[in-house]
């Protein structure tokens, strides 16, 4: 068997002293023809491998270069050097894959995130991205664990759909037509009847509508999958392809929805604090270092770990959109015209700068805003009795802004149909959705958590393109 190896994580944490073991990994550095820092991706830490002088061929030593893949068998011994408790005294060393040090883009030094984004196929091999993607995995696992423990059913909502759940028209079309020569009607328009699905289709922007169908039978469900938006937002918070977690609960109102979201976020952050401490510590130090470049007033008030602990231990602030507008309108920032978008009247859509002001400057904790004006929210949200607002909720996080968007759903058939017509949502085509309201409708609610926004929050990274393996954004679909 080839792969009779011990992972470096286990070597460093386990009880293998004085045992003969085999490890495999990639060379991070090689010093004095003697000391290899080997990393296999199982942990942020490297294993020090020691090659006894004179014991190995010169030709082999020459091939031990940064980036090369090695198989080492040796005895794990206590280390006298500083920086590690154990080291591997090599008996056998084999190069599995050479790496031309002249050409290997990753050198043993700090690279900029911009540079690493251009070599995203290799950035997994850095400490920062190793930590990020181990944390991403753990978060995904914790999310499934949370919902499983609560008795939610994991629903695979379709990726290809004929509906635009958010009604915002930001979809990517899906077709099997030759775009140079699609089948056309006599009047020159495209004949979708001849297209693969027999009608226009697109990539999903949200699994919510399908989740609602399932929730009104299974009770509590959640989706966790990729979603796609062709919004031309070239920001550090938007991706064209991002992952979303969307729970949907029957027999629930807006308050139940907020309670679930808050419990959920606290649970998964706690999970990471307990299970990914080494990687979090690494990212925390990285962030502190990076912030030293910034002026004092732009630095975070709390260190990363402290911030995460704070979130798990404190209640989120809950207030209405109307209250938030009052706070923003009367804020010094607004009066001194510090906002790019001034807050002058009720009804405006909140910009990320406003959200961040509320969270970072005013409340200094995560905030849940509820009861938004219906004009700025989606058609499916339940209308409040005031005739002006809907039972929506957004959760705003420090450093990021909106991280969750959710609502109680409009369960009253007549009210929903009327709203859909007002907003030009194709009522007839969405009969399947309305059927849930025709047959045994119940109050229900749900939300969507943007997985990469959560990743930003947890890792302290500042650009969303650095928390997904291969980011898709305007003019970029590399790898
Ligand atoms: O607020 P949104 O658009 O809500 C929905 O899609 C609802 N259907 C959710 C539901 O109620 N089931 O998106 C939800 C979240 C946002 O709060 C944000 O975190 C994330 O998805 N998000 C994005 N993340 C990265 N890039 C983008 N372009 C995003 N657009 C939304
Ligand atoms: Mg939203």
């Amino acid at each position: 068997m080839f792969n009779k190896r011990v992972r470096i994580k286990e070597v460093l944490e386990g009880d293998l002293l004085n045992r003969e073991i085999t490890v495999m990994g990639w060379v991070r550095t090689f010093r004095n023809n003697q000391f290899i820092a080997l990393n296999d991706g199982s942990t942020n830490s490297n294993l020090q491998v020691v090659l006894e002088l004179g014991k190995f061929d010169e030709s082999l030593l020459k091939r031990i270069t940064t980036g090369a893949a090695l198989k080492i068998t040796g005895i794990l011994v206590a280390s006298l050097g500083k920086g590690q408790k154990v080291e591997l005294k090599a008996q056998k060393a084999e190069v599995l894959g050479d790496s031309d040090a002249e050409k290997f883009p990753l050198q043993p030094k700090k690279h900029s995130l911009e540079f690493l984004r251009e070599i995203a196929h290799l950035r997994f091999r850095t400490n920062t991205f190793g930590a990020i993607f181990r944390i991403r995995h753990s978060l995904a696992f914790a999310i499934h664990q949370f919902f499983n423990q609560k008795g939610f059913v994991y629903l695979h909502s379709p990726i290809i759909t004929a509906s635009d759940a958010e009604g915002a028209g930001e979809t990517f079309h899906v077709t099997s037509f030759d775009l140079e020569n699609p089948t056309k009607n006599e009047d020159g328009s495209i004949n979708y009847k001849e297209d693969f699905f027999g009608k226009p289709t697109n990539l999903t922007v949200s699994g919510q509508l399908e989740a609602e169908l399932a929730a009104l039978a299974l009770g509590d469900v959640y989706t966790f999958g990729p979603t796609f938006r062709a919004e031309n937002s070239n920001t550090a918070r938007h991706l064209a392809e991002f992952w979303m977690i969307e729970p949907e609960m029957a027999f629930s109102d807006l308050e139940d929805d907020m309670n679930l979201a808050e419990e959920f976020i606290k649970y998964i952050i706690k999970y990471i604090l307990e299970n990914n401490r080494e990687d979090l510590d690494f990212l925390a130090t990285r962030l502190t270092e990076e912030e030293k470049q910034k002026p004092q007033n732009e630095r975070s008030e709390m260190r990363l770990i402290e911030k995460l602990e704070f979130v798990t231990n404190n209640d989120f602030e809950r207030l209405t959109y109307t209250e938030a507008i009052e706070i923003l309108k009367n804020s010094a920032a607004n009066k001194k015209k510090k906002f790019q978008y001034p807050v002058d009247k009720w009804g405006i859509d909140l910009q990320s700068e406003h959200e961040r002001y509320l969270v970072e400057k005013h409340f200094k904790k995560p905030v849940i805003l509820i009861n938004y004006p219906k004009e700025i929210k989606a058609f499916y949200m339940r209308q409040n009795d005031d005739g002006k607002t809907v039972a929506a909720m957004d959760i705003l996080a420090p450093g990021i802004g909106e991280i969750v968007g959710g609502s109680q759903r409009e369960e009253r058939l007549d009210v929903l149909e009327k709203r859909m017509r007002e907003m030009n949502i194709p009522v007839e085509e969405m009969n399947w959705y309305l059927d849930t309201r025709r047959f045994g409708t119940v109050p229900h609610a749900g939300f969507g958590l943007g997985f990469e926004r959560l990743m930003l929050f947890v890792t302290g990274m500042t650009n969303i393109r650095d928390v997904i393996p291969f980011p898709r954004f305007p003019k970029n679909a590399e790898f």
Side-chain angles (χ1 to χ4, degrees):
M1 189 166 76
F2 179 77
N3 196 354
K4 199 165 172 287
R5 66 174 177 129
V6 188
R7 290 210 172 89
I8 288 174
K9 183 179 167 67
E10 199 191 326
V11 175
L12 297 177
E13 289 171 2
D15 193 12
L16 298 167
L17 207 59
N18 301 321
R19 295 254 298 272
E20 186 189 273
I21 56 170
T22 297
V23 296
M24 301 183 210
W26 294 269
V27 177
R28 285 290 172 82
T29 57
F30 185 34
R31 288 187 293 124
N32 302 345
N33 258 351
Q34 221 184 337
F35 303 106
I36 305 169
L38 197 71
N39 189 285
D40 70 357
S42 61
T43 159
N44 203 269
S45 306
N46 302 325
L47 174 66
Q48 169 147 292
V49 175
V50 184
L51 303 182
E52 210 179 301
L53 283 173
K55 188 172 163 143
F56 296 90
D57 281 352
E58 199 58 35
S59 61
L60 178 90
L61 295 178
K62 278 213 180 80
R63 293 171 62 203
I64 301 178
T65 52
T66 300
L70 303 185
K71 174 178 182 179
I72 309 275
T73 301
I75 308 280
L76 192 69
V77 297
S79 174
L80 299 176
K82 61 171 166 36
Q84 67 272 327
K85 278 201 241 120
V86 293
E87 61 191 24
L88 188 64
K89 230 174 117 188
Q91 292 166 320
K92 266 196 301 196
E94 186 187 330
V95 177
L96 298 174
D98 290 283
S99 167
D100 184 340
E102 300 278 298
K103 294 192 183 134
F104 186 53
L106 293 170
Q107 296 302 316
K109 63 160 199 178
K110 201 170 152 57
H111 294 290
S112 75
L113 293 171
E114 290 75 19
F115 170 72
L116 292 174
R117 220 171 284 145
E118 283 169 16
I119 51 161
H121 58 302
L122 291 173
R123 66 180 179 173
F124 296 110
R125 300 241 198 125
T126 64
N127 285 331
T128 299
F129 287 92
I132 287 170
F133 291 115
R134 280 186 297 271
I135 288 175
R136 189 175 164 115
H137 158 76
S138 280
L139 273 176
F141 179 80
I143 286 165
H144 286 300
Q145 182 160 285
F146 173 82
F147 286 118
N148 188 49
Q149 281 174 5
K150 289 191 97 60
F152 280 59
V153 171
Y154 178 27
L155 185 81
H156 295 107
S157 47
I159 307 269
I160 299 173
T161 152
S163 67
D164 173 1
E166 296 304 303
E170 293 171 333
T171 60
F172 289 101
H173 301 293
V174 174
T175 176
S176 63
F177 274 154
D178 171 0
L179 289 183
E180 308 287 329
N181 188 22
T183 311
K184 292 204 174 144
N185 297 313
E186 275 171 17
D187 64 3
S189 60
I190 291 176
N191 182 356
Y192 286 105
K193 286 207 175 67
E194 294 299 315
D195 198 358
F196 192 92
F197 296 105
K199 59 176 163 183
T201 48
N202 52 270
L203 294 176
T204 187
V205 294
S206 156
Q208 178 195 321
L209 302 190
E210 291 85 359
E212 283 187 56
L213 311 181
L216 265 65
L218 298 167
D220 297 317
V221 304
Y222 71 105
T223 72
F224 185 177
T227 49
F228 309 86
R229 294 193 187 177
E231 51 188 335
N232 208 350
S233 303
N234 231 323
T235 79
R237 283 176 195 81
H238 288 88
L239 288 166
E241 175 179 292
F242 65 98
W243 287 65
M244 189 154 50
I245 299 100
E246 296 185 274
E248 193 68 34
M249 300 177 288
F251 317 113
S252 299
D253 64 12
L254 188 65
E255 195 180 349
D256 298 313
D257 205 31
M258 287 191 275
N259 291 345
L260 179 77
E262 187 168 339
E263 186 187 345
F264 172 52
I265 291 173
K266 287 178 171 169
Y267 178 95
I268 53 186
I269 291 182
K270 212 159 158 209
Y271 182 91
I272 297 299
L273 283 168
E274 283 165 11
N275 292 281
N276 293 71
R277 200 49 188 240
E278 186 195 31
D279 287 326
L280 278 180
D281 281 335
F282 175 83
L283 292 172
T285 308
R286 184 193 165 281
L287 185 63
T288 308
E289 285 299 312
E290 192 162 283
E291 291 204 332
K292 282 186 187 155
Q293 324 285 330
K294 290 188 184 170
Q296 192 76 38
N297 65 338
E298 283 175 30
R299 294 182 200 168
S300 321
E301 283 177 27
M302 286 186 205
R303 295 202 63 211
L304 182 63
I305 307 273
E306 203 188 339
K307 177 187 85 176
L308 297 176
E309 279 167 350
F310 179 86
V311 168
T312 61
N313 294 329
N314 288 280
D315 289 342
F316 296 3
E317 191 71 35
R318 299 181 181 193
L319 69 155
T320 64
Y321 165 91
T322 305
E323 288 163 335
I325 287 290
E326 280 310 305
I327 293 171
L328 290 166
K329 218 159 68 181
N330 298 322
S331 68
N334 194 49
K335 289 185 175 151
K336 288 191 201 146
K337 308 216 180 317
K338 289 270 169 64
F339 290 136
Q340 193 185 342
Y341 297 87
V343 180
D344 48 5
K345 60 174 189 294
W346 192 93
I348 59 160
D349 204 354
L350 295 183
Q351 304 294 324
S352 155
E353 58 178 345
H354 306 136
E355 297 174 339
R356 293 185 58 179
Y357 177 87
L358 289 169
V359 173
E360 290 159 34
K361 297 279 179 317
H362 193 83
F363 291 109
K364 297 184 189 287
K365 49 154 70 171
V367 168
I368 312 185
L369 283 191
I370 62 167
N371 297 340
Y372 282 75
K374 63 180 183 186
E375 276 71 29
I376 58 171
K377 288 292 182 187
F379 71 90
Y380 51 70
M381 296 189 178
R382 193 178 197 281
Q383 293 192 46
N384 290 326
D385 293 341
D386 62 11
K388 293 193 317 194
T389 61
V390 286
M393 66 118 180
D394 275 9
I395 301 186
L396 317 178
I400 294 161
E402 180 189 340
I403 186 164
V404 162
S407 69
Q408 186 173 337
R409 317 307 187 190
E410 185 55 78
E411 85 284 11
R412 297 163 295 186
L413 179 64
D414 52 337
V415 184
L416 179 58
E417 250 184 305
K418 182 160 174 276
R419 187 70 186 141
M420 286 170 80
R421 289 192 202 285
E422 280 167 8
M423 296 180 76
N424 293 319
I425 308 287
V427 177
E428 281 67 38
E429 276 169 43
M430 290 184 69
N431 250 318
W432 50 271
Y433 183 66
L434 293 170
D435 265 357
T436 49
R437 275 63 170 175
R438 289 192 183 104
F439 308 112
T441 191
V442 296
H444 61 290
F447 64 83
L449 169 75
F451 191 44
E452 287 76 19
R453 300 252 177 112
L454 172 77
M455 276 292 294
L456 284 178
F457 183 69
V458 169
T459 59
M461 299 298 286
T462 48
N463 193 318
I464 201 162
R465 297 168 189 181
D466 295 330
V467 294
I468 188 166
F470 301 106
R472 270 80 183 92
F473 51 91
K475 305 282 178 285
N476 189 291
E478 284 304 305
F479 310 106

